[in-house]
Amino acid sequence: MSSIDMCAPENTGRQPKLIERAGVGRLIAALQQQGYRVVGPTVRDEAIIYDELASDADLPAGWTDDQQAGAYRLKRRRDQALFRYTCGPHSWKKYLHPPQATLWRAEREGGLFRILPETPRAERLALLGVRACELRALAIQEQVFAMAAHADAGYGVRLRQAFVVAVNCGQAGGTCFCVSMNSGPRARKGFDLALTEVVHAKRHYFVVEIGSERGAAILAALETRDATAEEIAAAEKTVNDAARHMGRTLDTTEIQALLYRNHEHPRWEQTGERCLSCANCTLACPTCFCSTIDDTTDLAGQRAERTRRWDSCFTADFSYIHGGSVRQSVKARYRQWLTHKLASWIEQFGSSGCVGCGRCITWCPVGIDLTEEVRAIRATKYYREPVHGDTGTRSV
Amino acid sequence: MAAKKPKLAVWKFASCDGCQLSILDCEDELLTVASAVDIAYFPEATRAATRGPYDLSLVEGSITTPHDAERIHQVRRQSRYLVTIGACATAGGIQALRNFRDVKRFLSIVYARPDYIETLSKSTPIAEHVFVDYELRGCPVNKYQLLEVISALLNQRKPVIPNHAVCVECKLRQHVCVMVARGTPCLGPATQAGCGALCPGYARGCYGCFGPKESANPPALSAGLVRLGVTEDGLVRAFRSFNAAADVFRRESELHERPNP
Ligand code: SF4
Ligand code: SF4
Ligand code: SF4
Ligand code: SF4
């Protein structure tokens, strides 16, 4: 299957609609009228981040970004496109799996403690501008949190209530590789509506695919018409262009065997020397789900509180068990991250933990690039023979 | 719980008083602190002083004189728990810049009568002199962390004071990384959290106030800073500030220092 074929839309059986540029503002207003808090892309602090949108005036019209390993630059565009940028520093996990959350509080009562459970906020969110790779990341985190034996009820509720407006990518960033991970650039499922933006010199419009009844209902409240064959073709072309311009590639052939067998590859040591164990990669990654628990009390010892906070396999505390941290070296931490994302995740959850969004590459302060790491390990084929009793390492 | 409140003492060694002021800065919480502990000795706040022994001593400042090197032992003897607060007490502070030079030369340049001055050749952290129960980092310390350490000690539990990078706090607050998005040099990846990623929140790079994080890798960070245009002298200055004498920072600044003329 060529990358272009992979961009073909899933047949939802519904006729794609067309909205003009002004329709985006109406879509936001319609969602707000339905009681949704609309969150999406906006320019802040030299980047395109996700935050609450009051109206379409908050969207990053005419902005884009340039991304390389360890570098992100906000840039002006020559047109007024709303969504011609690629994934930024934020991901939707900040809403669905918040960085910090109180799990419960307790109060001393007589000689005992009374536990006061926290009720998750029942806020209805509309996520505007969700990319294909991000839809895949939401599905992965749903599996981790909501479908596990010990489900996180809050996550499931937040995700189910969220109205998802996907946006098909019209350009790929310097660190994107969703095509390699088979997760983009076209949104295939998991959305209520999916927009494809077309910006021509004289016309600026959006082809809208409907993914759910809820999506159809919102769209019915707007001025739309059926998209013409030419408009649909123009939209297709932008997504195909994005697919052809991936900044990175990752060869996933037999990736589990490759990484497991190369557990003692010298590359880990070398990368461990470059890595800061700062955890930025894991915290920027839309699928990383790890957190830790903090238990605190007030001064008087009358109240206690348990909070959950994002953590990462790059911190020493993360693997702390009685007697010390399991992963003392930065090398071991980097190896854990890469191996979990690309290999053991498959055993654990049945899919890769990487959707190819490129955030870990861009937001690593020293530009360590996981696609480069895999390439280096593959190229040198240095591995432990999987033969019983053979523990030696050799180069082949 | 025993009716007698634990006795708290606050001591000052070579320092600027900023960390002690963080205690007074607790404003809203100060009354709770005062109701939970008996503030027995705290010259910065009150002239009333109760004699030791003390249940908890907070020590600010580094050891820079022979007299202080003696005095800290007296403090230790009178204290059940001794907690050092701030970069001076935990790493020697900014005054540890003397450790890299000849103090006698400074004396002759600065003072009219150098023979009046009795000082040590190095500024050293408290833990080099006496046993310390807990070290709280920062220049100055963060008041919430200070309250957390006091709460934890009073309630016999482990303080929640993570030793990971400032970057983790930066991401928890969803700040946009200044190093990646602006090319601004930042010490956050090598520095312990605690400030709440204050400077990156105001579009500045981290200055390293909380000292080295666990498993800090300053050589790798320096390589990144050089790519952003920081010079060798710039690296020396970056790692040689409030926590200049903290081992990992000291080694890194020495690596980039040109031989003295
Ligand atoms: S591992 Fe990197 S590229 Fe893959 S999903 Fe996470 S942040 Fe994106
Ligand atoms: S890579 Fe690390 S932080 Fe991410 S999910 Fe795996 S163990 Fe957790
Ligand atoms: S790979 Fe980069 S972002 Fe991740 S911990 Fe190492 S230095 Fe930090
Ligand atoms: S701004 Fe500094 S502290 Fe924050 S993530 Fe970037 S490098 Fe780390």
Side-chain angles (χ1 to χ4, degrees), chain A residues 10-26:
Chain A
E10 207 168 66
N11 188 0
T12 57
R14 293 188 212 246
Q15 162 69 36
K17 298 288 181 184
L18 188 114
I19 58 173
E20 299 295 333
R21 162 65 183 82
V24 176
R26 293 194 194 106

Side-chain angles (χ1 to χ4, degrees), chain A residues 44-47 49 70-73 89-90 94 99-100 272-280 283-284 294-301 309-310 314-317 328 330 333 362-366, chain B residues 1 29 32-33 36 147-148 150-152 154-155 157-158 160-165 167-168 170-177 179-183 189 201 213-217 220-221 224 227-228:
Chain A
R44 176 102 31 89
D45 295 331
E46 297 296 311
I49 60 145
Y72 177 105
R73 289 295 177 274
H90 290 184
K94 80 174 203 177
Q100 264 160 317
E273 277 167 25
R274 289 167 56 215
C275 172
L276 308 164
S277 70
C278 64
N280 273 309
L283 301 171
D294 292 333
D295 286 332
T296 52
T297 56
D298 66 350
L299 278 163
R309 155 171 68 82
W310 285 357
F314 279 98
T315 73
D317 272 353
Q328 302 270 350
V330 177
R333 298 181 203 172
T362 300
W363 298 97
C364 170
V366 288
Chain B
M1 261 195 151
E29 301 84 358
T32 333
V33 177
L147 286 169
E148 167 60 11
I150 299 174
S151 295
L154 293 181
N155 291 289
R157 62 174 175 85
K158 190 178 163 219
V160 179
I161 306 284
N163 57 5
H164 53 58
C167 301
V168 175
C170 218
K171 287 284 182 285
L172 290 178
R173 287 171 190 243
Q174 294 283 290
H175 292 329
V176 176
C177 174
M179 192 140 154
V180 171
R182 299 173 194 253
K213 81 179 213 24
E214 60 81 20
S215 322
N217 188 354
L221 179 58
R227 280 193 292 277
L228 297 181

Side-chain angles (χ1 to χ4, degrees), chain A residues 123-137:
Chain A
E123 173 185 61
R124 290 204 308 162
L125 287 172
L127 316 179
L128 176 66
V130 183
R131 303 309 172 106
C133 62
E134 298 184 304
L135 285 173
R136 182 80 199 101

